[in-house]
Amino acid sequence: MNPNENTSTRKNVLLFLKIKGPQSTKELAAHLEITEMAVRRHLQSLELDGLVESRMIRQPMGRPLYQFNLTELADDVFTKNYHTLTLDLLQELADEVDEELVERLFKRRNDKLIHKYQSSLEGKSLHDKVAALTEIQKKNGYMADWEQTTDGDYLIKEHNCPIAQVANEYSYACQCELNLFQTLLNTEVERTECLAKNGNKCAYLIKKEHILT
């Protein structure tokens, strides 16, 4: 079987469940025009990935019926244009009031993030703070990792930016992230690469000897 066909069928299963809601193996097979055995194979793979779940429905007579539906995790598979709405709203604010209001909104969001995460990093060594902050960013969709350099400094790398479209239009978003890192780590942080400036990733160099007082 062509691997592309396998991927396409998998996507079609997700799309059909998104549009029609819970479906049985038989219903999916009829729509996709493949065998029920093939449908079960795709459903098993999707269940293992946490994208599909099944439930048993007891029938008045005969064997129980199993229906399959999308999980909350599967919702992230489908395209959303939240960034378009966000950019439109920010532009409206800038036009109707002023650009400074937009910057204040970014700062307010940044302050909330600091308040949310600061207590979980307090009392930790710089090494443990870097590891914890990287884990926070990873959970927030930044595909982050970190390493310690030969000089003993630290480097946090983000290979994805969930707010890339916003950051491309408003550089203050990037400045807020830099400020967030510096505040949470309580040390000097330098951005050495930026996705919004055509970099391959966002990279932050954390100097071990520049602890803020």
Side-chain angles (χ1 to χ4, degrees):
M1 177 183 288
N2 187 326
N4 291 331
E5 291 180 6
N6 202 39
T7 302
S8 177
T9 303
R10 177 185 169 97
K11 289 181 178 178
N12 286 335
V13 170
L14 292 173
L15 183 60
F16 191 63
L17 291 176
K18 178 71 171 176
I19 295 171
K20 296 294 186 180
Q23 299 287 307
S24 67
T25 303
K26 184 177 181 179
E27 289 169 326
L28 283 166
H31 171 73
L32 298 171
E33 298 181 344
I34 58 177
T35 65
E36 290 188 39
M37 184 179 294
V39 169
R40 290 192 189 95
R41 186 174 65 249
H42 287 293
L43 289 171
Q44 184 179 30
S45 173
L46 290 167
E47 279 192 292
L48 288 173
D49 290 340
L51 300 176
V52 166
E53 60 188 3
S54 62
R55 63 169 180 163
M56 184 179 68
I57 301 176
R58 297 191 179 278
Q59 304 292 310
M61 296 181 62
R63 300 169 64 181
L65 173 70
Y66 285 89
Q67 284 193 326
F68 296 84
N69 198 15
L70 299 180
T71 64
E72 289 185 10
L73 182 62
D75 195 47
D76 294 334
V77 172
F78 300 94
T79 302
K80 297 178 177 63
N81 289 321
Y82 294 151
H83 65 273
T84 303
L85 174 60
T86 302
L87 287 172
D88 287 346
L89 291 174
L90 290 173
Q91 189 58 55
E92 286 293 326
L93 284 172
D95 292 343
E96 292 294 326
V97 188
D98 56 45
E99 195 77 28
E100 289 185 3
L101 176 60
V102 175
E103 292 188 3
R104 289 200 298 273
L105 288 174
F106 277 114
K107 184 180 184 305
R108 185 176 299 176
R109 175 182 179 273
N110 202 56
D111 290 343
K112 287 182 178 179
L113 291 176
I114 290 172
H115 178 74
K116 180 178 181 180
Y117 297 124
Q118 198 161 36
S119 61
S120 64
L121 272 67
E122 285 180 353
K124 295 181 182 292
S125 65
L126 180 59
H127 182 280
D128 290 343
K129 283 183 178 180
V130 169
L133 179 56
T134 302
E135 190 62 29
I136 288 170
Q137 292 301 89
K138 188 184 298 183
K139 289 179 180 178
N140 287 334
Y142 287 85
M143 293 177 62
D145 57 52
W146 68 278
E147 63 184 53
Q148 190 164 13
T149 68
T150 54
D151 296 330
D153 296 327
Y154 297 91
L155 188 66
I156 293 179
K157 295 173 288 184
E158 296 175 337
H159 303 279
N160 181 56
C161 180
I163 61 167
Q165 289 83 0
V166 175
N168 286 337
E169 293 293 327
Y170 295 92
S171 60
Y172 199 71
C174 296
Q175 183 59 39
C176 282
E177 183 173 70
L178 180 62
N179 175 263
L180 174 70
F181 281 20
Q182 186 160 293
T183 302
L184 292 178
L185 297 174
N186 193 38
T187 189
E188 184 177 315
V189 178
E190 176 188 355
R191 185 189 295 111
T192 58
E193 193 172 355
C194 182
L195 283 165
K197 295 181 179 179
N198 299 318
N200 292 320
K201 60 185 176 295
C202 288
Y204 295 90
L205 181 64
I206 297 105
K207 296 283 190 177
K208 66 171 184 176
E209 296 179 353
H210 289 190
I211 303 296
L212 302 177
T213 57

